[in-house]
Amino acid sequence: MTQAPEKKPVTLADIARAAGTSPSTASRAISGRGYVAADVRDRLLEAADRLGYVPNASARTLKHRTSRVIGVVVSDLGNPFYARLAAGIEQTLREVDYQMVILGDNSDGDEEVAAARTFLAMRAPGVILTPVGTAATRLLRSHGVAVVEVDRLLANVPCDAVVTDNEGGARDATELLLELGHRRIALLGVATTWTTDAGRLKGYRAALKSHRVAYDKNLVLRFPVHDGNAQARIGRLLDEEAPTAVFAANNQLAQQAWFALRERGLHIPGDVSLVAFDDVPWMEMVEPGITAVAQPTFAIGRRAAQLLLRRLDEPDLEPAVERLEPSLLVRGSTGTAP
Amino acid sequence: MTQAPEKKPVTLADIARAAGTSPSTASRAISGRGYVAADVRDRLLEAADRLGYVPNASARTLKHRTSRVIGVVVSDLGNPFYARLAAGIEQTLREVDYQMVILGDNSDGDEEVAAARTFLAMRAPGVILTPVGTAATRLLRSHGVAVVEVDRLLANVPCDAVVTDNEGGARDATELLLELGHRRIALLGVATTWTTDAGRLKGYRAALKSHRVAYDKNLVLRFPVHDGNAQARIGRLLDEEAPTAVFAANNQLAQQAWFALRERGLHIPGDVSLVAFDDVPWMEMVEPGITAVAQPTFAIGRRAAQLLLRRLDEPDLEPAVERLEPSLLVRGSTGTAP
DNA sequence: CTGTTAGCGCGTTCAG
DNA sequence: CTGAACGCGCTAACAG
């Protein structure tokens, strides 16, 4: 590593000296706030450019007592759902020159709180998170940090949120199956009290009820969060309960259900129909395509960032909960009941 | 938003006062560096806890003249390749309490440089990037910032790098096709001078040569970076050149090739074999599965972060270029030539 | 072992 | 329109 002149970073004082002014004038010229004679400004800007001046964000943050960093905490960046969410957030923030720092929490409440502390330390004015518990949001809010909860809504303190209409989406999906004549519809869900899972279950039950189909709890399986080993249990359900349709409440469970069906040589939709909540690329590519409740993931990210930015502008607005409508993409995996 | 007591953040001075010591003693107690009597320390820690003290990262950064933020710049977080890379980096950094700030650059050199400036402003000690040009790396290095280039290696200044063995991977893939009797093998690549694309093309040509098959430039298509509209051109190639196999040099081109094949009702591998560089989930799920050169994406991210951390420890090490071996996953999409 | 002093780089008074 | 002075919160030196 021969490079690295290690020359200590140039400061406002340096460029002030180079231009023969005081540091305060240099500050005004660079930040563009406050009066400064045109010719002096030009001289200063030229000097800054020539010396390769880069403002020190920490000094600014220290002075302003707030940074331009927005914290984002998701369960798992490797999951395409969270990745697209993050992509939407990042794009929106970058347009207005905010930076996104991402922390993962593995769906663990303690790690989520640790992430919140980190963002407090960074003096982030706002945080976007897919909540795992209520502690992190409460902590952040109690320090005056704006919070937007995404995907799920758990907060017991005032904060904004952007969520999908889980109940509506699940109802539509279940009704599609009911209208195709299915009566034994398995539900694969997650065992949490999160609004996502609760909403999807609720929608499922509502659809059954409106079609006067009894709720059979043997057809409902609930897994730990992000359970990578759900396939065996799903397989057992297929063997023992012989559902004619399966509704998987997230993309991971859908994938494992799909493998379980294939493993058994069960034909989709001939033997069993399959519907997924949350559309991901492979669902369009397999044969037959998987009918899915598509969430506008990228848009959710964008919207969350917008809500946060608005909140930073006007802290006293009423908390807003935006409920985005998912759309049911009917593909080949749903057919009439055998 | 009734919450937000807006009480100004508690500082070391506050907890020092609460415990009846001086700020420096408080500092030593909290940071754990320097002598401090056990009972005094306990008193201090208790006070910090009680008052909800959160250290101010900016003040520390200002003092230390370096932060615990590592910059990461990728082309597009929405692409699963970059997302998994980021996931690997984030996980590794979090273990040692560094934060990752991600910026996207849409494969644009100017945006990449802008990202670099942002990281300079944040006094990030290191940056990991999938380089688009040489300017950003040069700028960062000239300010003494450690840089690890990932996926591609463009730097003309000393820096570490983690790349896939593109040439070897492409050679293996092409040889598989040649051994299956294919002679008209189309190559879908990207029109850059990046080592990824150059390496893959080189591997393709090397394989052809070793099998004494002439290189036919009509079979080679090169697209703009992240071209979402490649499908039509691919379709035309299929129509006009009738290749018996297609080697797509990245996951996006593979996806578009796959759709183009399906659109024409061409059977895989009966009519045309397909191989992809970069394995993504759908390739295992479609029928037949797509033979792919799998990169250890997550591991590349981890390795890049490790290399960076090592460099921060020992700045004077020789620049290291790690070349990770991809593995060829043979699935159903490759068959004997018609 | 502890307190005092000083300064990291910037922006914001407040005089001039 | 400009500069001098101060302080944001923390920590490294240096006395004590």
Side-chain angles (χ1 to χ4, degrees):
Chain A
M1 292 299 231
T2 41
Q3 197 87 355
E6 270 325 315
K7 56 170 186 277
K8 59 155 89 109
V10 350
T11 72
L12 275 183
D14 295 327
I15 80 169
R17 200 172 320 117
T21 78
S22 77
S24 359
T25 305
S27 170
R28 286 189 286 260
I30 300 295
S31 70
R33 273 190 295 266
Y35 294 105
V36 62
D39 59 325
V40 179
R41 177 185 10 256
D42 291 347
R43 205 142 35 88
L44 251 356
L45 291 177
E46 185 275 329
D49 197 48
R50 183 161 44 80
L51 300 182
Y53 171 71
V54 180
N56 184 322
S58 320
R60 281 189 175 164
T61 297
L62 190 57
K63 182 89 229 187
H64 290 149
R65 324 179 86 176
T66 182
S67 72
R68 291 193 74 81
V69 159
I70 297 297
V72 173
V73 17
V74 296
S75 299
D76 167 25
L77 245 193
N79 185 314
F81 175 79
Y82 296 116
R84 289 189 55 75
L85 203 62
I89 294 170
E90 192 274 336
Q91 192 185 85
T92 308
L93 292 181
R94 189 150 43 93
E95 287 165 4
V96 291
D97 202 37
Y98 271 83
Q99 281 82 51
M100 169 180 82
V101 9
I102 292 204
L103 255 22
D105 68 9
N106 299 318
S107 301
D108 177 301
D110 292 338
E111 293 196 45
E112 183 183 37
V113 171
R117 304 198 86 84
T118 300
F119 295 142
L120 286 176
M122 298 178 86
R123 295 298 184 266
V127 170
I128 298 173
L129 46 78
T130 52
V132 161
T134 61
T137 299
R138 191 162 1 97
L139 175 64
L140 290 165
R141 293 294 303 121
S142 79
H143 283 255
V145 176
V147 174
V148 178
E149 292 197 343
V150 181
D151 185 42
R152 325 188 258 267
L153 174 50
L154 299 187
N156 47 19
V157 292
C159 79
D160 297 314
V162 181
V163 297
T164 316
D165 179 2
N166 291 294
E167 186 174 346
R171 188 166 2 85
D172 292 351
T174 311
E175 271 175 357
L176 169 69
L177 293 169
L178 288 162
E179 277 153 20
L180 287 167
H182 294 276
R183 288 300 173 268
R184 296 189 58 71
I185 303 173
L187 174 70
L188 311 179
V190 182
T192 71
T193 56
W194 297 351
T195 51
T196 37
D197 307 305
R200 290 168 199 180
L201 176 58
K202 208 165 160 190
Y204 166 83
R205 297 190 69 151
L208 290 183
K209 188 164 188 184
S210 76
H211 281 249
R212 307 188 200 304
V213 175
Y215 173 80
D216 177 354
K217 73 177 174 33
N218 291 324
L219 286 171
V220 175
L221 250 42
R222 309 195 73 182
F223 300 87
V225 178
H226 295 128
D227 182 355
N229 303 307
Q231 195 174 326
R233 266 184 75 199
I234 297 172
R236 225 171 306 131
L237 172 82
L238 294 173
D239 295 339
E240 295 169 6
E241 299 292 335
T244 65
V246 173
F247 176 27
N250 67 45
N251 72 60
Q252 292 182 322
L253 289 171
Q255 181 169 340
Q256 295 181 80
W258 188 86
F259 278 116
L261 288 166
R262 186 160 85 169
E263 186 181 54
R264 278 166 180 66
L266 289 169
H267 191 253
I268 304 175
D271 301 315
V272 180
S273 287
L274 179 61
V275 183
F277 202 111
D278 190 19
D279 183 42
V280 289
W282 65 264
M283 296 181 184
E284 186 189 357
M285 308 191 70
V286 297
E287 189 56 41
I290 307 300
T291 294
V293 180
Q295 309 186 69
T297 319
F298 192 83
I300 291 175
R302 289 199 65 99
R303 195 78 196 104
Q306 287 162 355
L307 235 49
L308 186 60
L309 293 169
R310 195 191 58 163
R311 171 71 55 196
L312 297 182
D313 258 3
E314 309 177 63
D316 294 323
L317 251 35
E318 280 297 298
V321 175
E322 298 227 353
R323 200 171 304 275
L324 270 56
E325 286 306 318
S327 51
L328 182 62
L329 302 180
V330 180
R331 295 197 269 243
S333 70
T334 38
T336 53
Chain B
M1 294 297 232
T2 39
Q3 195 89 355
E6 272 323 318
K7 53 170 189 280
K8 58 155 87 109
V10 351
T11 70
L12 275 183
D14 295 327
I15 78 168
R17 200 173 318 120
T21 78
S22 78
S24 3
T25 305
S27 170
R28 287 189 286 258
I30 301 294
S31 69
R33 271 190 297 264
Y35 294 106
V36 62
D39 59 325
V40 180
R41 176 185 12 256
D42 291 346
R43 203 139 38 85
L44 251 358
L45 290 177
E46 184 275 329
D49 197 49
R50 182 162 45 79
L51 300 182
Y53 170 72
V54 180
N56 185 322
S58 318
R60 281 190 176 163
T61 298
L62 189 57
K63 181 86 221 181
H64 289 148
R65 325 179 86 174
T66 183
S67 70
R68 291 193 74 82
V69 159
I70 297 296
V72 173
V73 18
V74 295
S75 298
D76 167 25
L77 245 193
N79 185 315
F81 175 78
Y82 296 116
R84 288 188 56 75
L85 203 62
I89 295 170
E90 193 273 337
Q91 193 186 86
T92 308
L93 292 181
R94 189 149 44 91
E95 287 165 4
V96 291
D97 201 40
Y98 272 83
Q99 282 81 51
M100 169 180 82
V101 9
I102 291 206
L103 255 20
D105 68 7
N106 299 317
S107 301
D108 177 300
D110 292 339
E111 293 196 47
E112 183 183 37
V113 171
R117 305 197 85 84
T118 299
F119 295 141
L120 287 176
M122 298 177 85
R123 296 297 183 265
V127 170
I128 297 173
L129 46 77
T130 52
V132 161
T134 60
T137 299
R138 193 161 359 99
L139 175 65
L140 290 165
R141 292 295 303 121
S142 78
H143 283 255
V145 176
V147 174
V148 178
E149 293 197 341
V150 181
D151 186 42
R152 324 189 260 266
L153 174 52
L154 300 186
N156 46 20
V157 291
C159 79
D160 296 313
V162 182
V163 298
T164 316
D165 179 4
N166 291 294
E167 186 175 346
R171 188 167 3 85
D172 291 351
T174 310
E175 272 174 358
L176 170 68
L177 293 169
L178 289 162
E179 277 154 18
L180 288 166
H182 294 275
R183 288 301 173 265
R184 295 189 58 70
I185 303 173
L187 174 70
L188 312 178
V190 182
T192 71
T193 56
W194 296 351
T195 50
T196 37
D197 307 305
R200 291 168 199 179
L201 177 58
K202 208 164 159 192
Y204 166 83
R205 296 190 69 153
L208 290 183
K209 189 163 185 183
S210 76
H211 282 249
R212 305 188 202 304
V213 174
Y215 173 78
D216 177 354
K217 74 178 174 35
N218 291 324
L219 285 171
V220 175
L221 250 42
R222 309 196 73 181
F223 300 86
V225 179
H226 295 126
D227 184 355
N229 302 307
Q231 195 174 326
R233 266 183 75 197
I234 297 171
R236 225 170 307 131
L237 172 82
L238 294 173
D239 296 338
E240 294 170 5
E241 299 292 336
T244 65
V246 174
F247 176 28
N250 67 45
N251 73 61
Q252 292 183 321
L253 289 171
Q255 182 168 341
Q256 296 182 79
W258 188 87
F259 277 116
L261 288 166
R262 185 161 84 169
E263 185 181 56
R264 278 165 179 68
L266 288 170
H267 190 255
I268 304 174
D271 300 316
V272 180
S273 288
L274 179 62
V275 182
F277 202 112
D278 190 19
D279 184 42
V280 289
W282 66 263
M283 295 180 184
E284 186 188 356
M285 308 190 70
V286 297
E287 190 54 45
I290 307 300
T291 294
V293 180
Q295 310 186 70
T297 320
F298 191 83
I300 292 174
R302 287 200 67 98
R303 196 76 196 105
Q306 287 163 352
L307 236 48
L308 186 60
L309 293 169
R310 195 192 57 165
R311 171 70 56 195
L312 297 181
D313 257 3
E314 309 177 63
D316 294 322
L317 251 34
E318 280 297 297
V321 175
E322 298 228 352
R323 199 172 306 276
L324 270 56
E325 285 307 317
S327 50
L328 183 62
L329 302 180
V330 179
R331 295 197 270 242
S333 70
T334 36
T336 53

